[in-house]
């Protein structure tokens, strides 16, 4: 009877979430600290109860309890254990429960960690997070309950969608949700700042670390999704500007803008209202993402909720949140206005300003592209889709602009900079940029975007290298007894945030190279091959060696064996498959990928045509740079996250 | 923040919300199915009303077929039921066939549903263990498929059908020349 326990725990958690919303509100208004403390305890208790709920659902999966409707719909006896344990978020109801549980986790953590450091904002943080929790718990309990029983009990479940039976898909949703939900805490902090009219130093420290965490998770989640699409969907690409992909990309853009502009606030006390706007927009866009996926308002591969009631509810909930937050922002922000204004254009804060401009314009173009089909369909009943051509046209220039700023920004000083120093600061990067352009011609890159990207990548790279070189030289001058490596190590560990950020930039550079390589220079070949046939793509000579059958726990597959050879490399064997999962009629393609540093060879086995098989072969240059770039970014975030703790310890 | 900024900010937020509200209200929610453009999965199952008779898709080969998945346990099915009765009348006029599949249900429950909400006038396959529904990748109920005379699935509609659905969604498909069949619509 695990599932009833979980259901009951979730109902209790709703009561506690209501308490968490109301008690601190009353406590703050009436000046009763004890009531605020009630809210804190409620938050922690709600977290424990929701943990029990989530665990009960996982246990039902692990024990194949098909009397639970949700388990019957998303698992089967033959589903491997790994996917069984994670099938909990394989569908709508379970993923909402996961969302809710993560939210309560973060609520409890912030109630516990920030209790002493943020006495003024605390009641409001509890109220805001409590209200969001109530909203999501009501959705889980009343409109999409994963706790329902099914009668008569089926002998076996309907199995997990085979597309989701992949490690990439197992980790993609939780990371994405960690990102989405992680922004709830900075959002609550900024709401508290607007309500109390106070946003002090600790506000920045707390929100910045939470946003950094959420941003890192969101980045990882998005990349895992792209990686999954690349491996599992078999169309040779990894990003299709699908509405739901855009939904995760938009909060990423505003969050990136926030992480940059909050530094200006920390340093110069400027951009206060702008930062609040960015945080509110980020969380609003996270909710929008959830709404788009869960309401079925846009047709997309990701959306499959069939009950319009849910859509209406989520829309209602989102309207309340958005109108309240943006209304508060519009009418209360005067209280927080800073008194310092911009001076001059050539300084670091204006580089941040432009960075924000580019990112927010990027967000708006994505938002327009995402909403346009909906607007057209609503107003004229025609159906249009906005695809890659639009986004490529508008987004690549924005990306190039950001790369340029990334090269300039770190070299600029705060407030004011003499033109002489500016010249010296930019010589190194400019030389780098020229090297990049020359390299582009050497590599016979003939697309203007390709040339520009290569130049800008080199520009940004040289800018960071010379910045690190200068800092290192300055340190060696001050501590002349230190050895080189010790100096470098100390330089980085003394300012983890800065060098963590540099690492993230390095990741961006790698990814930009990957985007351009795979976007502009992909080669595709569609051929029909019989066993023994040969074909070629790029530097690769391919032989269709044999065709066989393979089977595993819950699928059987036709598997082609291809031998690929190239000059200067040992031949490799690739085995693309066409899988038929038990209980699913539709065949799944499993692409075979061989990655070397400069390109991926990617083979998809299609249908049998007469005596042969249709085979799609792609040569995807530099794709793996995207994944490595993301890994470097993730590492950079971890380095940067190390900083806040140190600051606090020094203070306390 | 000055008044103009305030107005723009709140205006944009309200505009987007209003757009969603309208989109939610009249969006026909046609979800691309991996099955569209592929040959229909054949089935044969006992009829809901008369277990002696068999209902199959093959019986309608050479005609357009509307295949509707439902169950007596499904609230949205009640909502779409009046339109199904209308559609069966349209089917006679426009010469296409309709087949129902009552899945995850009891025979008693399915029969009582038809008694209470009106008989549709076409045959329903009875699919208590969801064999057909699983083959067709049905996520929820109701779901409706349109199959062309060559036996290719041309359209999947998730959620209840609504008045005007035939004219909006199915009639255009029927008028498009059949040589362009596979894969162009969803």
């Amino acid at each position: 009877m695990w599932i009833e326990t979980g259901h009951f725990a979730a109902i209790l958690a709703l009561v506690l979430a209501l308490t968490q919303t109301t008690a601190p509100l009353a406590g703050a208004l009436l000046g009763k600290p004890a009531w605020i403390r009630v809210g804190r305890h409620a938050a922690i208790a709600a977290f424990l109860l929701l943990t029990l709920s989530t665990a009960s659902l996982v246990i039902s999966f692990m024990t194949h309890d098909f009397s639970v409707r949700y388990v019957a719909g998303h698992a089967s006896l033959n589903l491997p254990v790994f996917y069984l344990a994670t099938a909990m978020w394989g569908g709508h109801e379970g993923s909402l429960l996961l969302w809710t549980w993560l939210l309560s986790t973060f609520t409890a953590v912030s109630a516990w960690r920030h209790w002493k450091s943020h006495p003024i904002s605390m009641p409001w943080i509890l109220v805001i997070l409590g209200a969001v929790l109530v909203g999501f718990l009501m959705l889980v309990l009343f409109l999409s309950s994963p706790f329902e029983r099914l009668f008569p009990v089926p002998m076996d479940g309907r199995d997990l969608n085979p597309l989701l039976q992949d490690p990439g898909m197992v980790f993609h949703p939780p990371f994405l949700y960690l990102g989405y939900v992680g922004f709830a805490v900075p959002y609550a902090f900024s709401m508290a700042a607007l309500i109390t009219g106070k946003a002090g130093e600790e506000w920045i420290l707390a929100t910045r670390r939470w946003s950094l965490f959420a941003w890192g998770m969101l980045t990882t989640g998005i990349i895992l999704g792209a990686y999954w699409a690349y491996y599992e969907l078999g169309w040779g690409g990894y990003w299709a500007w699908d509405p739901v992909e855009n939904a995760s990309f938009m909060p990423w853009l505003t969050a990136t803008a926030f992480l940059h502009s909050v530094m200006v606030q920390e340093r110069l006390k400027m951009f206060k209202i702008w930062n609040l706007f960015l945080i509110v927009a980020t969380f609003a866009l996270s909710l929008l993402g959830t709404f788009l996926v869960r309401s079925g308002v846009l047709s997309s591969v990701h959306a499959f909720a069939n009950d319009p009631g849910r859509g209406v509810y989520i829309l209602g909930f989102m309207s309340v949140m958005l109108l309240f937050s943006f209304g508060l922002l519009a009418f209360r922000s005067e209280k927080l206005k800073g008194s310092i204004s911009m001076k001059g254009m050539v300084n670091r804060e204006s580089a941040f300003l432009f960075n924000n401009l580019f990112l927010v314009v990027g967000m708006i173009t994505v938002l327009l592209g995402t909403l346009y089909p909906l607007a057209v369909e609503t107003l004229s009943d025609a159906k249009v889709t906005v695809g890659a051509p639009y986004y490529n046209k508008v987004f690549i220039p924005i990306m190039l602009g950001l790369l340029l700023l990334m090269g300039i920004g770190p070299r600029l000083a705060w407030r004011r900079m003499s033109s002489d120093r500016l010249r010296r600061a930019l010589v190194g990067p400019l030389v780098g940029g020229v090297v990049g352009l020359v390299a582009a011609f050497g590599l016979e890159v003939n697309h203007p975007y390709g040339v520009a990207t290569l130049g800008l990548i080199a520009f940004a790279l040289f800018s960071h290298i010379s910045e690190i070189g200068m800092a290192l030289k300055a340190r060696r001058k001050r501590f002349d007894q230190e050895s080189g490596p010790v100096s470098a190590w100390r330089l980085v560990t003394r300012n983890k945030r800065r060098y963590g950020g540099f690492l993230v930039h390095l990741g961006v550079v790698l990814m930009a190279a990957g985007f351009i390589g795979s976007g502009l220079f992909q080669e595709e070949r569609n051929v029909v091959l019989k066993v023994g046939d040969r074909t070629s793509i790029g530097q690769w000579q391919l032989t269709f060696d044999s065709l066989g059958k393979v089977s595993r726990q819950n699928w059987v597959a036709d598997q082609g064996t291809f031998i690929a050879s190239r000059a200067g490399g040992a031949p490799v064997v690739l085995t693309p498959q066409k899988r038929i999962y038990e209980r699913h009629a539709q065949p799944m393609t499993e692409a075979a990928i061989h990655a070397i540093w400069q390109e991926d060879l990617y083979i998809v086995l299609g249908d049998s045509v007469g005596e042969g098989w249709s085979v799609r072969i792609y040569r995807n240059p530099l794709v793996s740079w995207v994944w490595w770039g993301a890994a470097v970014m993730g590492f950079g975030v971890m380095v940067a996250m190390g900083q806040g703790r140190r600051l606090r310890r020094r203070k306390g | 923040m000055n008044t103009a900024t305030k107005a723009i900010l709140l205006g944009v937020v309200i505009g987007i919300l209003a757009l969603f509200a309208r989109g939610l209200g009249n969006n026909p929610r046609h979800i691309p199915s991996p099955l569209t453009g592929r040959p229909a999965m054949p089935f044969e199952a006992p009829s809901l009303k008369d277990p002696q008779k068999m209902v199959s898709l093959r019986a309608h080969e050479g005609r357009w077929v509307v295949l509707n998945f439902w169950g007596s346990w499904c609230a949205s099915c009640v909502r779409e039921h009046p339109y199904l009765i209308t559609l069966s009348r349209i089917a006679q006029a426009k010469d296409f066939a309709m087949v129902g599949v009552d899945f995850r249900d009891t025979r008693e429950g399915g029969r009582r549903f038809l008694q209470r909400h009106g008989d549709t006038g076409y045959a329903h396959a009875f699919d208590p263990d969801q064999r057909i529904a699983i083959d067709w990748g049905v996520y929820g109920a109701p779901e409706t498929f349109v199959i062309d005379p060559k036996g290719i699935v041309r359209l999947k509609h998730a959620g209840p059908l609504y008045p005007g659905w035939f004219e909006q969604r199915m009639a255009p498909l029927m008028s498009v020349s059949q040589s362009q069949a596979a894969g162009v619509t969803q």
Side-chain angles (χ1 to χ4, degrees), chain A residues 96-410:
Chain A
L96 273 179
L97 181 62
L98 179 68
W99 215 107
T100 313
W101 177 67
L102 289 173
L103 180 64
S104 78
T105 310
F106 291 161
T107 309
V109 170
S110 46
W112 169 52
R113 295 287 295 172
H114 302 305
W115 181 254
K116 283 214 181 95
S117 55
H118 297 76
I120 302 167
S121 345
M122 202 32 144
W124 301 105
I125 292 170
L126 288 171
V127 170
I128 298 291
L129 288 175
V132 181
L133 191 58
V134 168
F136 271 90
L137 260 177
M138 296 216 318
L139 181 59
V140 166
L141 285 171
F142 303 131
L143 285 164
S144 41
S145 170
F147 307 113
E148 266 173 45
R149 290 277 186 184
L150 180 62
F151 191 81
V153 178
M155 294 304 288
D156 197 354
R158 286 211 283 168
D159 204 6
L160 186 64
N161 184 344
L163 277 176
L164 305 184
Q165 297 185 29
D166 177 86
M169 209 45 185
V170 164
F171 296 112
H172 163 63
F175 274 100
L176 213 54
Y177 289 174
L178 277 169
Y180 282 167
V181 182
F183 288 118
V185 180
Y187 163 76
F189 267 97
S190 53
M191 285 290 106
L194 282 169
I195 294 169
T196 59
K198 291 189 184 89
E201 287 288 313
E202 338 89 16
W203 184 87
I204 294 173
L205 186 67
T207 46
R208 213 181 134 171
R209 291 195 71 212
W210 275 102
S211 326
L212 204 56
F213 165 77
W215 185 87
M217 292 298 145
L218 190 59
T219 311
T220 315
I222 293 172
I223 291 296
L224 280 174
Y227 190 69
W228 167 79
Y230 183 65
Y231 268 67
E232 192 67 21
L233 296 184
W235 56 283
Y238 47 84
W239 188 264
W241 297 104
D242 176 276
V244 173
E245 292 171 352
N246 294 346
S248 63
F249 190 43
M250 286 186 283
W252 186 89
L253 288 168
T254 48
T256 311
F258 172 76
L259 286 177
H260 287 95
S261 72
V262 76
M263 285 184 251
V264 184
Q265 180 176 348
E266 193 172 359
R267 194 71 180 228
L268 303 173
K269 313 261 181 298
M270 296 186 338
F271 293 1
K272 275 189 187 169
I273 298 169
W274 176 244
N275 284 331
L276 289 170
F277 166 76
L278 286 177
I279 275 293
V280 173
T282 303
F283 188 62
L285 288 167
S286 299
L287 279 185
L288 189 82
T290 314
F291 172 75
L292 287 181
V293 188
R294 292 298 158 212
S295 68
V297 68
L298 292 176
S299 37
S300 124
V301 282
H302 297 73
F304 51 89
N306 277 3
D307 179 2
R310 281 173 199 162
V312 172
Y313 175 84
I314 301 179
L315 181 64
F317 174 61
M318 200 169 71
S319 306
V320 172
M321 297 295 295
L322 259 61
L323 290 176
F324 174 73
S325 325
F326 284 106
L328 210 58
L329 188 67
F331 293 102
R332 295 276 303 174
S333 56
E334 290 303 317
K335 293 235 167 211
L336 292 168
K337 207 169 170 130
S339 50
I340 306 169
S341 53
M342 291 293 274
K343 271 204 192 87
M345 288 307 273
V346 187
N347 47 31
R348 195 179 286 173
E349 57 268 31
S350 58
F352 280 132
L353 184 69
F354 280 104
N355 147 298
N356 272 230
L357 202 67
F358 276 88
L359 286 166
V360 170
V361 167
M363 184 275 284
I364 292 170
T365 56
V366 178
L367 188 66
L368 281 177
T370 311
L371 295 184
Y372 180 71
L374 180 64
V376 169
E377 197 177 338
T378 311
L379 303 175
S380 73
D381 214 52
K383 204 159 178 76
V384 294
T385 47
V386 176
Y390 162 78
Y391 292 104
N392 290 344
K393 206 166 274 173
V394 296
F395 217 84
I396 294 178
I398 292 174
M399 191 185 91
L400 294 177
L402 284 168
L403 276 177
L404 177 71
L405 284 170
M406 206 173 88
I408 298 174

Side-chain angles (χ1 to χ4, degrees), chain A residues 466-476 491 498-499:
Chain A
S466 44
E467 187 65 23
I468 294 170
M470 238 168 70
L472 200 59
K473 217 157 70 190
R475 187 179 173 88
R476 304 271 332 246
L491 184 72
R498 180 175 172 78
Y499 295 102

Side-chain angles (χ1 to χ4, degrees), chain A residues 500-517:
Chain A
F502 278 17
L503 272 173
V504 172
H505 284 175
L506 177 65
V508 172
V509 163
L510 291 175
M511 280 175 107
F515 292 152
I516 287 296

Side-chain angles (χ1 to χ4, degrees), chain A residues 158 161 277 288 291 297 299 305-306 308 311-312 315 319 323 326 330 334 371 374-375 377-378 383 583 585-586, chain B residues 1 6 9-10 13-14 17 19-24 27-30 34 41 104 130 134-135 138-139 143 158:
Chain A
R158 286 211 283 168
N161 184 344
F277 166 76
L288 189 82
F291 172 75
V297 68
S299 37
N306 277 3
V312 172
L315 181 64
S319 306
L323 290 176
F326 284 106
E334 290 303 317
L371 295 184
L374 180 64
E377 197 177 338
T378 311
K383 204 159 178 76
R583 317 187 66 86
Q586 200 213 335
Chain B
M1 215 177 269
K6 265 182 216 170
L9 179 64
L10 294 179
V13 171
I14 292 169
L17 289 172
L19 183 63
F20 280 145
R22 283 214 53 183
L24 209 57
N27 185 18
R29 296 128 98 36
H30 23 90
M41 191 71 58
R104 207 157 83 191
Q130 306 176 45
I134 288 168
D135 272 353
V138 172
Y139 282 113
E143 276 186 23

